[in-house]
């Protein structure tokens, strides 16, 4: 059944701040196999003009995706998560995420479309730091496969 | 922000140094832990097969993370990336052996986005087994 269009534009309350730690960034950089020193060495990051180590560009997804959970699990929306695949992802950065950031995410349903029997849901996550400045906007496209496909 | 590539040196058509990334089961386990995405389709063959997959597949976000290295290594400062987006068009199947899967990434400067901001768009091509795995993979970077 197609998702209710009236959910488009709905925003969810901001998440509790996520505190970005140096060691978490290091762990993530190691997991993706990226040895760039800006991720692990504060002096190297500073040389590039950053106040502390920065996170790889896709790091913030761990935070925005968890935040998008409020949309995915909204019983009123009625998305069948067992049929959901990640269709597309985009990030618009104001500045890189860095160690010491306390990031809160506000999730908004940007669009709901029906495509060949699938529901396509686009969730925008606006990530703000503790001063209220926007750091990055993440757009996550989820595709809920139609039930008649099997 | 300190890009090591000058805007004037990044003409449209400039090719970035291509890179190859190996993805094994070990990579997936580490990425699951670091990212918090513990979906069993990325580490459990039985589960993956039960949901209709051909076996364990890599996290799309891992492929996205690896692909952008072609851009961040080229530009020098990962903080120079101002926009990055991909579509996940094909799964990267990761066999349970020492070799795993191989993702080949190439990229080129496709367009000038904003001359005054010295931003260019880099189009990425990520392939596994000769087939494209990311669609519309594009990064916008601010150059020196």
């Amino acid at each position: 059944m197609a998702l209710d269009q009236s959910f488009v534009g709905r925003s969810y309350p901001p998440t509790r701040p996520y505190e970005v730690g140096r060691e978490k960034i290091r762990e993530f950089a190691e997991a993706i196999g990226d040895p760039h020193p800006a991720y692990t060495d504060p002096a190297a990051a500073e040389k590039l003009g950053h106040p502390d180590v920065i996170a790889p560009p896709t790091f913030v997804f761990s935070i925005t995706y968890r935040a998008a959970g409020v949309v995915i699990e909204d019983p009123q929306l009625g998305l069948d998560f067992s049929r959901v695949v990640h269709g597309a992802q985009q990030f618009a950065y104001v500045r890189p995420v860095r160690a010491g950031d306390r990031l809160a995410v506000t999730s908004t349903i940007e669009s709901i479309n029906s495509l060949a029997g699938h529901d396509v849901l686009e969730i925008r996550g606006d990530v703000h730091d503790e001063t209220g400045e926007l750091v990055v906007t993440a757009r996550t496209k989820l595709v809920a496969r139609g039930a008649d496909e099997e | 922000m300190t890009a090591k590539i000058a805007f004037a040196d990044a003409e449209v058509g400039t090719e970035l140094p291509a890179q190859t990334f190996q993805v094994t089961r070990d990579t997936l386990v580490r990425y699951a832990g670091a990212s918090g995405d513990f979906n069993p389709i990325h580490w459990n063959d039985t589960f993956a097969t039960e949901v209709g997959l051909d076996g364990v597949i890599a996290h799309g976000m891992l492929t996205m993370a690896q692909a952008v290295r072609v851009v961040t290594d080229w530009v020098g400062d990962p903080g120079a990336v101002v926009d990055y987006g991909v579509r996940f068009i094909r799964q990267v199947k990761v066999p349970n052996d020492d070799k795993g899967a191989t993702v080949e990434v190439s990229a080129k400067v496709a367009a000038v986005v904003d001359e005054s901001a010295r931003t260019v768009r880099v189009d990425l091509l990520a392939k596994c087994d000769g087939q494209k795995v990311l669609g519309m993979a594009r990064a916008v970077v601010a150059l020196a």
Side-chain angles (χ1 to χ4, degrees):
Chain A
M1 202 175 69
L3 294 175
D4 187 348
Q5 279 287 337
S6 71
F7 278 78
V8 175
R10 181 175 296 209
S11 277
Y12 294 77
T15 56
R16 270 209 333 236
Y18 175 102
E19 192 165 330
V20 180
R22 281 185 185 170
E23 296 305 332
K24 188 63 194 178
I25 292 176
R26 177 196 301 275
E27 182 193 15
F28 186 88
E30 280 175 2
I32 61 170
D34 192 336
H36 198 293
Y39 303 144
T40 51
D41 177 4
E46 206 174 311
K47 235 175 170 174
L48 295 170
H50 307 295
D52 204 325
V53 293
I54 60 171
T58 63
F59 173 88
V60 74
F61 182 75
S62 321
I63 307 167
T64 56
Y65 188 61
R66 212 164 296 165
V70 297
V71 182
I72 294 163
E73 288 159 16
D74 182 347
Q76 288 183 304
L77 179 63
L79 189 68
D80 178 1
F81 190 63
S82 70
R83 297 184 178 280
V84 168
V85 295
H86 195 181
Q89 185 60 44
Q90 186 246 337
F91 301 101
Y93 306 93
V94 178
R95 65 159 173 86
V97 167
R98 57 191 178 228
D101 273 337
R102 289 172 57 80
L103 302 176
V105 188
T106 306
S107 297
T108 302
I109 298 179
E110 194 145 80
S111 65
I112 294 175
N113 288 295
S114 199
L115 200 71
H118 307 313
D119 284 317
V120 183
L121 179 71
E122 193 164 20
I123 302 169
R124 191 183 79 237
D126 294 310
V127 183
H128 291 88
D129 66 15
E130 61 188 345
T131 70
E133 292 295 314
L134 182 68
V135 176
V136 49
T137 296
R139 285 187 168 80
T140 303
K141 196 170 275 185
L142 301 175
V143 181
R145 289 168 296 148
D148 55 351
E149 216 200 327
E150 285 162 14
Chain B
M1 214 280 297
T2 318
K4 69 178 183 196
I5 303 290
F7 179 71
D9 296 336
E11 284 168 29
V12 170
T14 301
E15 292 197 15
L16 281 58
Q19 293 192 50
T20 298
F21 303 99
Q22 213 70 26
V23 185
T24 64
R25 292 295 174 90
D26 176 77
T27 318
L28 299 186
V29 171
R30 285 169 195 272
Y31 185 77
S35 69
D37 181 349
F38 294 103
N39 188 332
I41 60 172
H42 304 305
W43 51 269
N44 184 329
D45 286 286
T46 309
F47 185 90
T49 309
E50 273 171 13
V51 298
L53 295 168
D54 200 11
V56 160
I57 58 165
H59 304 72
M61 287 306 300
L62 171 60
T63 307
M64 185 177 184
Q66 292 175 321
V68 80
R69 270 194 66 191
V70 168
V71 179
T72 54
D73 285 358
W74 172 68
V75 77
D77 180 2
V81 178
V82 295
D83 198 286
Y84 179 37
V86 306
R87 289 184 190 165
F88 303 106
I89 57 171
R90 192 172 276 113
Q91 293 148 351
V92 173
K93 199 189 154 203
V94 183
N96 191 12
D97 56 26
D98 295 344
K99 207 168 147 274
T102 305
V103 178
E104 293 165 355
V105 183
S106 58
K108 64 175 184 207
V109 177
V112 170
V113 176
D114 182 344
E115 210 158 324
S116 60
R118 298 197 295 274
T119 48
V120 297
R121 195 188 87 216
V122 175
D123 287 2
L124 296 127
L125 177 62
K127 284 176 150 186
C128 182
D129 289 331
Q131 294 193 296
K132 206 168 147 182
V133 291
L134 299 177
M136 296 288 287
R138 296 170 161 191
V140 175
V141 283
L143 301 175

